[in-house]
Amino acid sequence: MRPPEGRTWGRRGHTPVVRVTAAGTKRVSMAALICSKDGHRPRLIYRIHRDRGPAEGRRKGFTETDYARLLDAAHKQLGGPTVLVWDNLNTHFSRTLHELIDARLWLTVYQLPPYAPELNPVEGVWSHLKRSLANLTKHSLDQLTALVKTRLKRMQYRPRLIEGLIAKTALDLQPP
């Protein structure tokens, strides 16, 4: 994540400067699912991947196996068949991931229309997270990762926030 920018108060004529010390080659990647089940509070399930810098032949973000592990964890927590509504990230279209999905008989996948972030409630999670991190600096990847985990954990215990993110999409997620 690049440091998010936000607004702040400052003395007139003195622009506040927030220094960022981390090199641009390190990153924290996140993947999340918002889960809705009739009669239960909505859940946020997430995973974090830290990339500590360049390495030959290694992916910077999540691999297909990482996404499959996230889906397996969600299935274990929810305890039943799962319907996944996915955005159009290029990894979601890979042959390897489709093979992993086909092996999971409890999983049904639907794709969102091309570039429709307003229909994806997880985009609201990222927006909320970035706003909460605005103007904060951390001096190491471990500090940033700990802060991101703390903020996501707080979101997990705010079902009204998650319900609001779902409601903002205007999708009807109730079974017929």
Side-chain angles (χ1 to χ4, degrees), residues 99-150:
E99 290 170 1
L100 291 168
I101 289 170
D102 290 342
R104 288 156 175 79
L105 301 177
W106 47 265
L107 183 62
T108 305
V109 178
Y110 294 101
Q111 291 290 139
L112 285 171
Y115 197 73
E118 69 278 1
L119 297 177
N120 187 352
V122 176
E123 292 295 333
V125 171
W126 305 140
S127 175
H128 187 80
L129 177 64
K130 286 179 182 181
R131 279 195 314 271
S132 77
L133 297 174
N135 293 337
L136 296 176
T137 59
K138 293 298 170 189
H139 297 287
S140 72
L141 191 63
D142 292 330
Q143 287 178 335
L144 177 62
T145 303
L147 182 61
V148 166
K149 283 182 179 181
T150 301

Side-chain angles (χ1 to χ4, degrees), residues 59 62-64 67 86 88-94 97:
R59 286 184 69 166
F62 280 82
T63 64
E64 289 87 351
Y67 284 114
W86 232 343
N88 289 291
L89 183 68
N90 59 358
T91 308
H92 298 167
F93 291 107
S94 75
L97 190 56

Side-chain angles (χ1 to χ4, degrees), residues 2 38 44 51 83 126:
R2 289 201 173 100
D38 201 25
L44 173 65
D51 179 42
V83 176
W126 305 140

Side-chain angles (χ1 to χ4, degrees):
M1 274 180 40
R2 289 201 173 100
E5 297 176 6
R7 296 185 183 272
T8 186
W9 294 96
R11 286 183 34 210
R12 183 173 293 216
H14 298 278
T15 303
V17 176
V18 179
R19 301 209 189 287
V20 179
T21 59
T25 58
K26 299 176 184 178
R27 71 169 65 183
V28 177
S29 299
M30 295 159 278
L33 302 170
I34 289 184
C35 306
S36 174
K37 188 174 183 180
D38 201 25
H40 294 80
R41 68 177 179 86
R43 294 185 186 182
L44 173 65
I45 301 172
Y46 66 89
R47 294 293 181 266
I48 293 179
H49 174 78
R50 289 185 293 185
D51 179 42
R52 298 191 176 274
E56 192 65 33
R58 186 180 61 177
R59 286 184 69 166
K60 293 179 183 177
F62 280 82
T63 64
E64 289 87 351
T65 307
D66 294 329
Y67 284 114
R69 284 189 198 126
L70 174 61
L71 294 172
D72 289 340
H75 175 64
K76 186 175 181 179
Q77 285 185 29
L78 300 172
T82 304
V83 176
L84 177 65
V85 180
W86 232 343
D87 62 9
N88 289 291
L89 183 68
N90 59 358
T91 308
H92 298 167
F93 291 107
S94 75
R95 180 178 298 147
T96 305
L97 190 56
H98 277 282
E99 290 170 1
L100 291 168
I101 289 170
D102 290 342
R104 288 156 175 79
L105 301 177
W106 47 265
L107 183 62
T108 305
V109 178
Y110 294 101
Q111 291 290 139
L112 285 171
Y115 197 73
E118 69 278 1
L119 297 177
N120 187 352
V122 176
E123 292 295 333
V125 171
W126 305 140
S127 175
H128 187 80
L129 177 64
K130 286 179 182 181
R131 279 195 314 271
S132 77
L133 297 174
N135 293 337
L136 296 176
T137 59
K138 293 298 170 189
H139 297 287
S140 72
L141 191 63
D142 292 330
Q143 287 178 335
L144 177 62
T145 303
L147 182 61
V148 166
K149 283 182 179 181
T150 301
R151 299 292 164 92
L152 287 171
K153 181 63 85 175
R154 283 185 195 166
M155 280 189 238
Q156 283 183 314
Y157 290 101
R158 294 181 61 196
R160 296 273 189 235
L161 172 67
I162 298 171
E163 288 170 356
L165 297 174
I166 294 170
K168 190 175 179 184
T169 65
L171 293 176
D172 183 15
L173 300 179
Q174 302 303 319

